[in-house]
Amino acid sequence: GESVGLHLPTLSVQEGDNSIINCAYSNSASDYFIWYKQESGKGPQFIIDIRSNMDKRQGQRVTVLLNKTVKHLSLQIAATQPGDSAVYFCAEHGSSNTGKLIFGQGTTLQVKP
Amino acid sequence: GAGVSQSPSNKVTEKGKDVELRCDPISGHTALYWYRQRLGQGLEFLIYFQGNSAPDKSGLPSDRFSAERTGESVSTLTIQRTQQEDSAVYLCASSLVSVSNQPQHFGDGTRLSIL
């Protein structure tokens, strides 16, 4: 069935280092992907998105890479800060006929000062 | 700000009671979604509304769950005869339209605890 999974449940990095969070997806027909950040007690916050006709997109301190050949998505955070500590989810828009997103289990990012 | 608003933020109720959760989407957003998030897990899709089209109810886990939306505004999610496994955070999101390339924006959820 459709699924979106994350390789590592927890990632611990030193403040100032770069972070890379990985995600695998199984639906090759998915056409849109989103990364969300979720802090404790809050709803998911949109970070960055990418369409399937792109392989890279950059935002402020964040970059998303999409490799459709191996169905892999990654989020890179440059110069990680303590405020980046949160759970990160990738989400997949599996079909243009439905609005639902399919979420992975999440990766916890811990930033050490 | 004019984000997605959900109420109540917390709800504690006894098993067997009915509960109603409310969502106010971002103004102008025609698509509205409900998700459930169990502790330490990702989000599970429940239902979505797009304008006047029939809602996609494919994610509702049982017939105890139902949702309504009035036009393109407020939505309510109702859980009847609550069970302990219904304990979770219920999240609402909205987007401009229900097609690709439109990010969904989430509220902070209702934390539901069934005793």
Side-chain angles (χ1 to χ4, degrees), chain A residues 31-32 34 36 38 41-44 46 49 51 89 93 95-106, chain B residues 33 35 37 40-45 48 56 58 91 98-109 111:
Chain A
D31 56 3
Y32 179 56
I34 309 175
Y36 285 94
Q38 188 175 30
K42 299 287 188 181
F46 171 82
D49 57 1
R51 286 181 259 178
F89 293 96
H93 191 268
S95 166
S96 60
N97 295 322
T98 176
K100 71 179 183 181
L101 292 175
I102 301 166
F103 281 80
Q105 292 301 303
Chain B
Y33 316 79
Y35 292 86
Q37 185 176 29
Q41 298 193 17
L43 282 68
E44 303 170 71
F45 168 79
Y48 95 92
D56 177 354
S58 61
L91 290 154
S98 178
V99 294
S100 282
N101 313 326
Q102 295 293 335
Q104 297 176 22
H105 299 274
F106 286 83
D108 286 336
R111 185 174 301 276

Side-chain angles (χ1 to χ4, degrees), chain B residues 54-99:
Chain B
D56 177 354
K57 304 180 181 180
S58 61
L60 294 179
S62 77
D63 58 8
R64 296 187 296 105
F65 288 72
S66 62
E68 293 185 350
R69 186 180 187 192
T70 306
E72 294 186 351
S73 59
V74 172
S75 175
T76 55
L77 176 69
T78 301
I79 308 174
Q80 297 178 307
R81 305 181 302 282
T82 52
Q83 303 295 314
Q84 288 186 332
E85 62 263 27
D86 299 334
S87 295
V89 176
Y90 290 83
L91 290 154
C92 176
S94 70
S95 68
L96 277 172
V97 290
S98 178
V99 294

Side-chain angles (χ1 to χ4, degrees), chain A residues 47-49 56-64 75-76 78:
Chain A
I47 302 174
I48 192 167
D49 57 1
K56 180 179 180 179
R57 191 166 187 215
Q58 289 184 292
Q60 186 177 13
R61 283 202 306 119
V62 295
T63 300
V64 55
L75 176 70
Q76 300 178 359

Side-chain angles (χ1 to χ4, degrees), chain A residues 10-110:
Chain A
T10 302
L11 177 65
S12 184
V13 300
Q14 204 70 39
E15 180 179 358
D17 287 352
N18 297 334
S19 303
I20 300 176
I21 301 172
N22 296 303
C23 176
Y25 65 94
S26 59
N27 186 353
S28 57
S30 293
D31 56 3
Y32 179 56
F33 304 86
I34 309 175
W35 281 100
Y36 285 94
K37 172 187 180 183
Q38 188 175 30
E39 296 173 295
S40 182
K42 299 287 188 181
Q45 176 187 359
F46 171 82
I47 302 174
I48 192 167
D49 57 1
I50 189 167
R51 286 181 259 178
S52 59
N53 61 354
M54 304 169 68
D55 53 20
K56 180 179 180 179
R57 191 166 187 215
Q58 289 184 292
Q60 186 177 13
R61 283 202 306 119
V62 295
T63 300
V64 55
L65 299 177
L66 175 63
N67 185 331
K68 293 182 290 295
T69 301
V70 295
K71 290 185 284 188
H72 183 269
L73 193 69
S74 68
L75 176 70
Q76 300 178 359
I77 305 173
T80 313
Q81 302 169 359
D84 295 327
S85 295
V87 179
Y88 289 80
F89 293 96
C90 61
E92 168 186 10
H93 191 268
S95 166
S96 60
N97 295 322
T98 176
K100 71 179 183 181
L101 292 175
I102 301 166
F103 281 80
Q105 292 301 303
T107 292
T108 300
L109 177 64
Q110 298 174 340

